[in-house]
Amino acid sequence: RAVGRCGACRVMGGLQSFEVWVSVSDNDYDDGHDVEGGGDDKADKAADEVESRLIVYFEGLRDVSLKCSRCMRECANTTSTGISDGPVKEPHPRKLNRCVTALEKRFFNCNPSRLPLLDHEKDNDNLPYEGHFIMDAFVESTRKCNAGGDFSVQVILEMYSHTKHGSADLNKIRGSLQGEIGRTNRRWRRLLQRQSKLCST
C-alpha cells in the first residue's frame, strides 16, 4: 500500500504558493482583543480569514466532493515558486504552521477496517487510506501591511497524488483557488464592486 505523503507522490508543477492581501478592521474583533496599535493581532486575524476562505472554497466545490481538517503541521523543505511581484518566503521547515488539509469526502476519517466503496477499481488499486490525493494548504501571516491597511498572508500548497484520477482532481481544485481565496477573479471583482456601490448609496 502506498504512503499518503510520500515524496514520490509529491506534485511539484503548477501553482505552489501565492500571497493574499486581507483587509481587517477593528470591528472584526469581538473577543476583547486590544487593537490599539495591535498589528500582530490584525495579522493573525487575517490568517484566520484565509483559513476560513480555504475551507469554504474546498468544501463548496461542485466537481470534487471534499472534506477539510485543520491542524498544526510541519511544512516540507521545498523551494517556493514565488509570486508575480516577487519571491515568497516559505515557512521555516522545522516550524509547525497552520494547515488546512483537503481530502475526498468519502475517504475522510478512513481506516483499514472501513474503506469506502470504490467505483473505478483499476484506478483504486493500492490506494493509501487518504484516497486518490492529499492537499495541504499552509497558512502563515507575513506580518506585512500595505498603505491601505491590508495584511499579507502566504499560502503554500503541498499536494500528493496517488493516481491519475487524483492528479486530475488536484488540477480542478487549483484551477480557481488563487482567485477565489484572494478574491481577485472576475466573479469577486464584480461582487465587491456591487457591494461598494451599495455602501456608497
Side-chain angles (χ1 to χ4, degrees):
R1 183 177 294 276
V3 178
R5 290 182 173 85
C6 65
C9 299
R10 180 80 183 271
V11 177
M12 300 302 295
L15 179 68
Q16 298 286 321
S17 65
F18 57 93
E19 187 176 32
V20 181
W21 289 93
V22 180
S23 175
V24 180
S25 70
D26 291 354
N27 294 330
D28 290 329
Y29 289 83
D30 55 7
D31 55 2
H33 278 161
D34 179 11
V35 297
E36 183 177 351
D40 286 346
D41 284 338
K42 289 187 177 182
D44 289 337
K45 197 72 174 181
D48 291 341
E49 171 66 18
V50 171
E51 271 191 289
S52 296
R53 291 182 189 181
L54 284 164
I55 292 172
V56 168
Y57 172 77
F58 288 142
E59 297 191 346
L61 285 171
R62 295 180 180 179
D63 293 337
V64 188
S65 182
L66 301 178
K67 183 73 175 176
C68 295
S69 63
R70 284 197 267 192
C71 67
M72 299 297 289
R73 184 180 292 278
E74 185 176 311
C75 188
N77 188 12
T78 59
T79 301
S80 171
T81 59
I83 54 175
S84 58
D85 59 351
V88 177
K89 181 182 177 183
E90 191 159 337
H92 193 284
R94 299 299 180 186
K95 174 186 173 184
L96 292 178
N97 295 277
R98 300 174 184 230
C99 180
V100 175
T101 297
L103 301 175
E104 280 188 270
K105 193 172 185 179
R106 61 187 176 141
F107 289 98
F108 197 75
N109 286 333
C110 280
N111 58 62
S113 63
R114 191 172 64 86
L115 289 174
L117 294 176
L118 305 173
D119 297 327
H120 308 290
E121 291 301 330
K122 288 184 179 179
D123 201 26
N124 292 316
D125 289 343
N126 299 317
L127 275 181
Y129 305 128
E130 296 89 349
H132 290 276
F133 65 86
I134 305 171
M135 176 176 278
D136 291 328
F138 292 90
V139 177
E140 184 175 58
S141 171
T142 67
R143 306 292 169 182
K144 293 190 297 184
C145 180
N146 64 18
D150 299 333
F151 285 82
S152 167
V153 178
Q154 179 188 1
V155 178
I156 289 180
L157 305 176
E158 286 186 9
M159 297 153 289
Y160 303 86
S161 174
H162 309 128
T163 63
K164 292 180 180 178
H165 178 75
S167 297
D169 279 348
L170 284 172
N171 286 333
K172 290 178 185 177
I173 295 167
R174 286 191 293 177
S176 303
L177 180 61
Q178 185 172 1
E180 284 291 321
I181 304 306
R183 298 184 173 177
T184 55
N185 58 15
R186 182 181 299 178
R187 184 179 80 87
W188 273 105
R189 287 198 302 269
R190 288 177 176 173
L191 180 60
L192 294 173
Q193 186 178 29
R194 194 177 305 128
Q195 289 177 348
S196 179
K197 287 181 180 178
L198 289 174
C199 292
S200 62
T201 56

